[in-house]
């Protein structure tokens, strides 16, 4: 009788959230049907509610989530969905940009109470990045459901590190609801030198790591990267019907300035310019799709002007100045997929034409690059081939290590 009631509740909720009679199920067959050769749709772990719902019952749960933590075609917030199913959600933890994802880049976020659910929302991008003992008090399971984009300097994997560490130290299990990596088809870039460790680069990995959040969590555990080499107990729910070469259109922007598929795919290639005198379009509606500087007037025809946009970029670099440079809004990102490489040409070319080379780089560049070598190589006029050669054997070693933790082909 109890099982019948559960099945009926699943049907009701699935109709409410999805407009259909069944929640997405974990795959029992390959993603491609052998009979009809039909590719099944990718199903993020969060959407597979029947797979993990019973595991949540009777527990006091904290959720590390943001605006990407949604399920179904109606994009209902996961926390709301689970509360409707009677799950004991007690606290919410928010990464950079906040639980609702509406804080500007780099903005400090305070603890608050969520106006929709009434739950305490604890910021892990404010006074502290790691949950405290008090933050985790009364919790016996934490759910991590955040959409990542697969670049070392995107801070959600740094938040993952600290949540894993805190959970391990407090004997709390961490459930990861995995999501596809839109940049998961390749691995490239220099390996981070631990001397340049920061919140935008915590581990000895390349700029593009080619892993999902769950795969990355397994690597953090397996490589002993947590403080005192503690291990976090993980419960992983995989993405269904997913291989890393499959295109995946994110249902919700992962952060305010990655607001299009184009910006997400270009992000690993041009974020290094955040450590230069250039604008990357913060303060426009097409961030991470343009690169420019006022000093390139007369060298490039394309121009744009960053302005303050509350909720996206309150005080963008080169605010209210006309910038000239590259327009990548229509750049064919299939080139990236086919090459499997970071585009270094934009960085090398713009350094060559920039008239004030002494002020091309800012101190932030070495943090983003993860070393001081790349800056020196660019100044010395090294070729792209020479720079790439310097990434070995570290890059090949990382790929071999990475292979131990992969969950998908």
């Amino acid at each position: 009788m109890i099982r019948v009631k559960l099945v009926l509740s699943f049907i009701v909720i699935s109709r409410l959230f999805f407009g259909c009679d069944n929640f997405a199920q974990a795959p029992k067959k390959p993603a491609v049907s052998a009979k009809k050769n039909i590719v099944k749709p990718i199903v993020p772990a969060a959407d597979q509610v029947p797979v993990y719902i019973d595991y949540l019952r009777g527990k006091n749960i904290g959720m590390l989530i943001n605006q990407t933590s949604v399920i179904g075609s109606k994009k209902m917030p996961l926390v709301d969905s689970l509360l409707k199913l009677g799950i004991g959600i007690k606290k919410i933890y928010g990464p950079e940009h906040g639980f609702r994802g509406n804080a500007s880049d780099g903005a400090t976020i305070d603890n608050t109470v969520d106006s929709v659910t009434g739950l305490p929302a604890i910021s892990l991008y404010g006074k502290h990045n790691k949950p405290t003992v008090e933050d985790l008090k009364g919790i016996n399971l934490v759910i991590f459901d955040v959409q990542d984009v697969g670049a070392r300097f995107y801070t959600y994997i740094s938040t993952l590190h600290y949540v894993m560490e805190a959970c391990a130290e407090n004997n709390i299990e961490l459930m990861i609801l995995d999501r596809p990596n839109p940049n998961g088809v390749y691995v490239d870039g220099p390996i981070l030198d631990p001397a340049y460790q920061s919140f935008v680069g915590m581990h000895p990995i390349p700029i593009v790591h080619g892993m999902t959040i769950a795969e990355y969590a397994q690597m953090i555990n397996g490589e002993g990267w947590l403080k005192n080499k503690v291990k976090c107990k993980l419960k992983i729910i995989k993405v269904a019907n997913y291989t890393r070469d499959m295109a995946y259109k994110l249902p919700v922007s992962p952060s305010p300035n990655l607001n299009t598929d184009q910006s997400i795919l270009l992000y690993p290639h041009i974020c290094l310019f955040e450590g230069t005198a250039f604008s990357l379009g913060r303060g426009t509606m097409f961030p991470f799709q343009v690169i420019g500087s006022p000093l390139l007037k007369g060298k490039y025809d394309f121009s744009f002007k960053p302005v303050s946009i509350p909720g996206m970029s309150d005080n963008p670099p080169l605010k209210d100045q006309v910038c000239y440079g590259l327009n990548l809004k229509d750049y064919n990102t299939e080139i990236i997929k086919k090459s499997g490489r970071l585009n270094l040409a934009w960085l090398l070319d713009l350094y060559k034409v920039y008239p004030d080379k002494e002020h091309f780089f800012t101190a932030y560049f070495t943090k983003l690059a993860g070393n001081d070598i790349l800056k020196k190589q660019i100044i010395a006029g090294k070729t792209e081939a020479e720079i790439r050669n310097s990434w070995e054997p570290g890059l090949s070693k990382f790929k071999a290590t990475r292979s131990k933790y992969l969950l998908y082909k």
Side-chain angles (χ1 to χ4, degrees):
M1 187 65 181
I2 294 175
R3 184 168 182 80
V4 172
K5 288 183 178 179
L6 284 174
V7 171
L8 289 174
S9 69
F10 288 153
I11 292 173
V12 171
I13 298 299
S14 65
R15 284 175 173 166
L16 178 62
F17 298 151
F18 292 83
C20 63
D21 289 336
N22 294 295
F23 277 110
Q25 298 287 339
K28 296 181 180 179
K29 297 180 180 180
V32 180
S33 170
K35 291 183 178 180
K36 297 183 180 180
N37 201 33
I38 298 173
V39 178
K40 295 181 180 180
I42 294 171
V43 186
D47 287 52
Q48 302 170 50
V49 177
V51 174
Y52 59 86
I53 188 69
D54 286 343
Y55 198 79
L56 306 183
R57 296 191 186 281
K59 294 182 172 70
N60 292 331
I61 295 171
M63 298 185 71
L64 190 293
I65 50 178
N66 67 0
Q67 79 286 350
T68 67
S69 310
V70 297
I71 63 172
S73 58
K74 294 184 179 181
K75 302 178 184 178
M76 174 169 282
L78 178 61
V79 62
D80 297 343
S81 306
L82 295 181
L83 285 171
K84 286 179 181 293
L85 288 170
I87 300 304
I89 312 300
K90 303 301 181 183
K91 295 179 183 179
I92 298 168
Y93 309 97
E96 184 177 4
H97 307 295
F99 157 54
R100 293 293 177 184
N102 53 7
S104 298
D105 48 280
T108 298
I109 304 166
D110 295 325
N111 294 346
T112 185
V113 174
D114 178 47
S115 60
V116 178
T117 62
L119 294 172
I122 298 165
S123 172
L124 299 182
Y125 197 78
K127 294 179 180 179
H128 57 275
N129 297 323
K130 178 178 175 179
T132 65
V133 173
E134 184 62 29
D135 292 339
L136 294 172
K137 186 177 181 180
I139 300 297
N140 44 42
L141 177 71
V142 173
I143 296 174
F144 191 106
D145 179 35
V146 173
Q147 177 66 59
D148 190 47
V149 299
R152 184 180 66 211
F153 26 62
Y154 204 58
T155 63
Y156 296 159
I157 57 174
S158 298
T159 297
L160 171 68
H161 172 106
Y162 284 122
V163 170
M164 287 179 64
E165 192 169 273
C167 284
E169 292 170 348
N170 291 275
N171 197 30
I172 297 172
E173 186 175 26
L174 179 67
M175 174 183 280
I176 297 181
L177 301 179
D178 211 9
R179 291 181 178 272
N181 176 356
N183 288 301
V185 73
Y186 66 108
V187 177
D188 202 25
I191 304 298
L192 179 135
D193 179 343
Y196 292 87
Q197 185 182 58
S198 72
F199 197 64
V200 292
M202 295 193 65
H203 307 124
I205 65 170
I207 287 175
V208 185
H209 54 72
M211 307 177 81
T212 66
I213 280 286
E215 292 173 328
Y216 198 86
Q218 292 193 142
M219 178 176 271
I220 290 175
N221 254 352
E223 297 305 303
W225 289 339
L226 299 178
K227 186 178 179 182
N228 298 323
K229 299 188 182 298
V230 294
K231 305 289 185 184
C232 176
K233 183 180 179 182
L234 297 175
K235 174 74 171 179
I236 292 173
I237 309 298
K238 293 173 59 177
V239 182
N241 309 324
Y242 173 63
T243 58
R244 64 188 71 255
D245 62 344
M246 296 173 71
Y248 179 65
K249 182 176 178 62
L250 274 60
V252 178
S253 297
S255 54
N257 284 283
L258 292 186
N259 57 347
T260 65
D261 290 339
Q262 187 77 350
S263 63
I264 291 166
L265 296 177
L266 289 174
Y267 175 76
H269 304 262
I270 64 176
C271 188
L272 286 172
F273 280 97
E274 297 252 77
T276 71
F278 281 72
S279 166
L280 288 179
R282 291 187 187 272
T284 73
M285 296 310 296
F286 36 85
F288 292 99
Q289 298 174 66
V290 297
I291 311 170
S293 164
L295 298 188
L296 295 186
K297 183 177 182 179
K299 297 180 182 293
Y300 293 89
D301 293 331
F302 174 72
S303 66
F304 61 93
K305 184 169 73 171
V307 297
S308 177
I309 303 178
M312 281 186 70
S313 192
D314 292 348
N315 190 31
L318 303 177
K319 177 183 172 183
D320 298 328
Q321 299 181 57
V322 179
C323 299
Y324 299 84
L326 303 180
N327 178 7
L328 303 176
K329 287 181 279 186
D330 296 319
Y331 178 78
N332 183 7
T333 53
E334 281 298 310
I335 295 173
I336 298 170
K337 185 175 180 179
K338 291 177 181 178
S339 70
R341 289 182 166 191
L342 287 170
N343 186 314
L344 287 177
W346 297 323
L347 186 60
L348 298 177
D349 290 347
L350 288 175
Y351 178 77
K352 289 177 183 177
V353 300
Y354 194 69
D356 186 11
K357 289 181 173 52
E358 185 178 348
H359 297 103
F360 181 88
F361 296 101
T362 69
Y364 194 43
F365 185 86
T366 53
K367 283 188 177 182
L368 292 172
N371 61 54
D372 64 349
I373 298 172
L374 182 57
K375 175 181 174 180
K376 292 176 181 177
Q377 290 172 323
I378 295 170
I379 293 173
K382 297 292 185 181
T383 65
E384 180 173 341
E386 289 173 323
I387 293 173
R388 289 190 177 281
N389 287 339
S390 72
W391 296 349
E392 296 293 354
L395 189 55
S396 293
K397 183 179 178 182
F398 169 80
K399 290 177 181 178
T401 301
R402 166 183 173 270
S403 67
K404 298 186 296 183
Y405 304 107
L406 299 183
L407 298 169
Y408 315 95
K409 294 182 180 178

